[in-house]
Amino acid sequence: MSLAKPWRDLDRATVGSAPDRYALYELGDADGETVGFGTGVLRDELKEALAYGDAAKVRWESADSLDHAERLLAEHVKE
């Protein structure tokens, strides 16, 4: 199930403004179709996603820890 957050363009400005904390993130294509989910330190993860160019959009939900981010992911996967 997708995150209930608005999409942001996955570009350098978004990466630069992303919080430097753990998060669950969702990557999307140019049409807003989900191409994957991930967890980790958001800014680092988005830098990598931008470098590989596999997605055009992103949205995220901040977490308190990696464990918390992984629990959020598990909740979204089972829905």
Side-chain angles (χ1 to χ4, degrees), residues 38-77:
T39 59
V41 177
L42 185 60
R43 190 172 298 156
D44 294 342
E45 295 290 323
L46 295 186
K47 284 178 187 175
E48 188 171 323
L50 182 62
Y52 284 106
D54 295 334
K57 297 181 182 283
V58 65
R59 52 186 166 195
W60 63 81
E61 186 169 331
S62 295
D64 297 323
S65 64
L66 181 56
D67 184 54
H68 182 212
E70 290 175 349
R71 284 194 314 268
L72 291 171
L73 176 60
E75 290 172 11
H76 282 286
V77 170

Side-chain angles (χ1 to χ4, degrees), residues 4-59:
K5 306 275 184 173
W7 286 110
R8 299 172 190 223
D9 290 333
L10 181 55
D11 56 21
R12 291 179 65 144
T14 299
V15 172
S17 68
D20 194 20
R21 58 180 298 176
Y22 290 106
L24 163 64
Y25 62 92
E26 178 178 5
L27 298 172
D29 64 15
D31 296 324
E33 296 295 321
T34 300
V35 296
F37 288 91
T39 59
V41 177
L42 185 60
R43 190 172 298 156
D44 294 342
E45 295 290 323
L46 295 186
K47 284 178 187 175
E48 188 171 323
L50 182 62
Y52 284 106
D54 295 334
K57 297 181 182 283
V58 65
R59 52 186 166 195

